[in-house]
Amino acid sequence: MPGTFEPLPGGGAAVALDDVEISIIRSLAIQLLELIGPGPGGAAPEDPLAELFAEGPSEPPADPVLRRLFPDAYCDPEQAPDSPEDAEEQRAHSAEFRRYTENDLRAGKRESALAVIGSLDALAPVGEEGAVLKLSPAESRQWLGALNDLRLAIGSRLEITDEDDTDLLYRLPDEDPRKPMVMAYLWLGGLQETLVATLMA
């Protein structure tokens, strides 16, 4: 089971993690939370009902990682619009969509990252052989979302845009400063892949 998710009887998934792996995932999830931010009303909104109906931003985030996590809904980065009018219409639709969905998307990503941190913090003390993390089906789906977000964030920092970029990263020399980030990206990909397979079994 080390490094791969396996199904649990009755649903859910389990994976064995050592203390270094736990520390890496937890640290990355905390960094993701810091990047996403606390939300429009902070940690304790005065009026939860007003918070529920608060409009989000209409412009894409400036940070390239956040742009990857919260992409424009109506703009295809790989296909240019047919005309300036089409481009303007796409921007207007994307801004409207973002205004009414981004707050919820951010909240969902925060919730998944917090679930990852919480489940790691709840593990029994890690011995020499590590600990076994057991997730319910709902927790497994939150982990899947968080793993995907972490890979998107790291992939954006590494400027991975297609499969060819990944192939080049495999061949980076050990002294390249990007190597640790690449190793984390590939390892999280393996975890994500086995979790998907587990949930589909």
Side-chain angles (χ1 to χ4, degrees):
M1 187 192 304
T4 61
F5 278 97
E6 294 183 3
L8 287 172
V15 63
L17 298 169
D18 63 30
D19 56 348
V20 173
E21 293 168 331
I22 291 169
S23 176
I24 290 170
I25 296 172
R26 191 179 188 284
S27 175
L28 289 172
I30 289 171
Q31 290 176 52
L32 182 65
L33 281 173
E34 292 171 351
L35 184 64
I36 293 171
E46 290 182 15
D47 184 352
L49 190 60
E51 182 87 353
L52 181 65
F53 293 102
E55 291 185 6
S58 59
E59 294 298 318
D63 188 293
V65 174
L66 289 175
R67 278 201 306 274
R68 189 85 172 266
L69 291 171
F70 305 103
D72 277 332
Y74 292 91
C75 298
D76 184 351
E78 299 192 11
Q79 182 176 351
D82 294 332
S83 67
E85 292 78 17
D86 286 344
E88 185 57 38
E89 185 177 355
Q90 285 179 358
R91 279 193 292 275
H93 287 311
S94 291
E96 190 76 359
F97 185 83
R98 184 179 296 279
R99 183 177 297 120
Y100 293 109
T101 61
E102 187 168 311
N103 285 347
D104 287 341
L105 290 173
R106 283 179 182 259
K109 291 180 186 301
R110 277 192 297 273
E111 188 176 322
S112 293
L114 285 169
V116 166
I117 295 167
S119 59
L120 292 175
D121 287 349
L123 280 176
V126 178
E128 287 184 16
E129 297 182 8
V132 176
L133 174 70
K134 296 181 179 180
L135 303 173
S136 69
E139 290 169 333
S140 297
R141 289 188 292 275
Q142 287 182 308
W143 263 74
L144 188 59
L147 288 172
N148 186 62
D149 290 340
L150 291 174
R151 289 193 78 238
L152 284 174
I154 295 172
S156 180
R157 290 289 187 239
L158 291 170
E159 299 180 350
I160 296 173
T161 56
D162 57 38
E163 198 61 39
D164 291 340
D165 295 333
T166 307
D167 292 340
L168 289 172
L169 292 174
Y170 271 110
R171 298 191 293 272
L172 283 179
D174 289 342
E175 60 272 16
D176 191 297
R178 296 170 294 172
K179 191 72 172 189
M181 200 181 301
V182 169
M183 298 307 293
Y185 178 80
L186 297 173
W187 173 59
L188 291 172
L191 281 176
Q192 183 181 11
E193 188 176 325
T194 59
L195 184 53
V196 168
T198 297
L199 293 177
M200 293 178 65

